[in-house]
């Protein structure tokens, strides 16, 4: 748990609320859990699988999510699952609602647990249910982009990061991470009136 706290570097919004296409009262949120390890993690192109990268580290690195010089997707998810389970031993949260100026208690349930890609927490009160999907992600700048040049303005590429995420339906090689760039994708869909904006993961 302590190692996870050191690796946690914040959250990044993705999905419908990032794209501002969600029309109903907020009931689900998609978030990237930004991870940063205390050593260099280089994204290198997966030569076999288009759209995937491998996250290479120095061979001497010792970390719960690293196996044989690479961040291992399956082991990473196991490590995060243990951290979530430890954090949610007390499965009730209370917060003050500015909307109706009263305290609300929610019971938390940890579902899905990273076996696909996201770690999902369901928060339930007497009147509402809210889902939070947390997807682990390593953030990179465009200068670290290892794939072919994407069809999006250079200004957008340099302003917004791209991510490597442990997509559960990826090939069997546990070193593979899927490339994801929500802000780039938003720009690519701009003025495409017959298409819905989308963000992978």
């Amino acid at each position: 748990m302590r190692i996870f706290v050191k690796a946690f570097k914040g959250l990044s919004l993705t999905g419908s609320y990032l794209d501002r296409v969600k029309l109903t009262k907020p009931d689900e949120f998609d978030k990237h859990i930004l991870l940063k390890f205390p050593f260099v993690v280089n994204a290198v192109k997966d030569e076999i699988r288009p759209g995937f990268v491998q996250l290479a580290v120095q061979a001497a690195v010792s970390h719960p999510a690293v196996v044989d010089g690479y961040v291992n997707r399956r082991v990473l998810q196991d490590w995060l699952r243990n951290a979530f389970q430890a954090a949610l031993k007390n499965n009730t949260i209370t917060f003050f609602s500015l909307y109706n100026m009263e305290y609300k208690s929610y019971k938390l349930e940890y579902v899905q647990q990273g076996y696909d890609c996201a770690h999902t927490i369901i928060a339930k009160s007497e009147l509402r249910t809210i889902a939070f999907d947390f997807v682990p992600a390593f953030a990179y700048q465009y200068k670290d982009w290892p794939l072919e040049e994407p069809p999006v303005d250079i200004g957008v590429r340099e302003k917004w990061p791209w991510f490597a995420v442990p997509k559960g339906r990826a090939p069997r090689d546990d070193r593979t991470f899927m490339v994801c760039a929500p802000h780039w994708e938003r720009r690519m869909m701009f003025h495409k009136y017959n298409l819905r904006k989308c963000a992978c993961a």
Side-chain angles (χ1 to χ4, degrees):
M1 184 66 179
R2 188 174 301 172
I3 299 176
F4 170 74
V5 171
K6 291 181 179 180
F8 176 74
K9 295 302 175 184
L11 299 169
S12 175
L13 188 64
T14 184
S16 299
Y17 291 106
L18 171 66
D19 297 318
R20 299 178 182 176
V21 296
K22 191 74 172 181
L23 302 178
T24 59
K25 182 188 298 185
D27 59 359
E28 78 175 317
F29 296 89
D30 300 317
K31 291 277 194 175
H32 285 140
I33 303 175
L34 302 182
L35 300 173
K36 185 174 179 62
F37 290 166
F39 46 82
V40 176
V41 179
N42 292 312
V44 296
K45 180 180 179 181
D46 188 316
E47 297 295 341
I48 299 175
R49 305 160 186 85
F52 286 84
V53 295
Q54 296 178 357
L55 304 183
V57 303
Q58 293 179 347
V61 164
S62 177
H63 189 278
V66 173
V67 177
D68 296 330
Y70 290 87
V71 179
N72 182 289
R73 184 181 73 244
R74 180 181 54 80
V75 174
L76 174 72
Q77 292 289 53
D78 289 343
W79 175 60
L80 292 173
R81 189 175 303 115
N82 290 335
F84 271 100
Q85 290 170 345
L88 293 174
K89 286 181 179 179
N90 179 4
N91 64 350
T92 300
I93 187 171
T94 302
F95 67 91
F96 187 73
S97 172
L98 294 175
Y99 179 74
N100 49 20
M101 304 303 288
E102 61 182 22
Y103 286 95
K104 295 285 186 180
S105 291
Y106 283 81
K107 183 176 181 181
L108 305 180
E109 182 182 2
Y110 180 32
V111 300
Q112 198 163 334
Q113 302 192 16
Y115 288 104
D116 178 24
C117 183
H119 297 261
T120 303
I121 296 175
I122 304 295
K124 295 182 180 179
S125 71
E126 294 181 359
L127 300 177
R128 293 187 65 190
T129 297
I130 307 173
F132 300 89
D133 286 339
F134 297 102
V135 175
F138 293 85
Y140 293 93
Q141 299 303 314
Y142 178 61
K143 64 182 179 60
D144 302 311
W145 180 253
L147 307 181
E148 291 75 17
E149 185 171 337
V152 63
D153 298 342
I154 185 66
V156 174
R157 288 179 252 164
E158 292 181 343
K159 180 178 180 180
W160 300 105
W162 61 275
F163 305 97
V165 299
K167 191 66 175 177
R169 296 188 180 90
R172 291 183 178 180
D173 188 340
D174 290 332
R175 298 175 299 173
T176 56
F177 284 71
M178 188 179 73
V179 168
C180 177
H183 290 90
W184 300 9
E185 293 160 11
R186 289 182 74 217
R187 185 62 184 176
M188 291 168 65
M189 293 296 104
F190 189 63
H191 284 324
K192 303 294 192 301
Y193 298 110
N194 59 326
L195 297 175
R196 178 185 180 275
K197 293 178 182 178
C198 65
C200 65

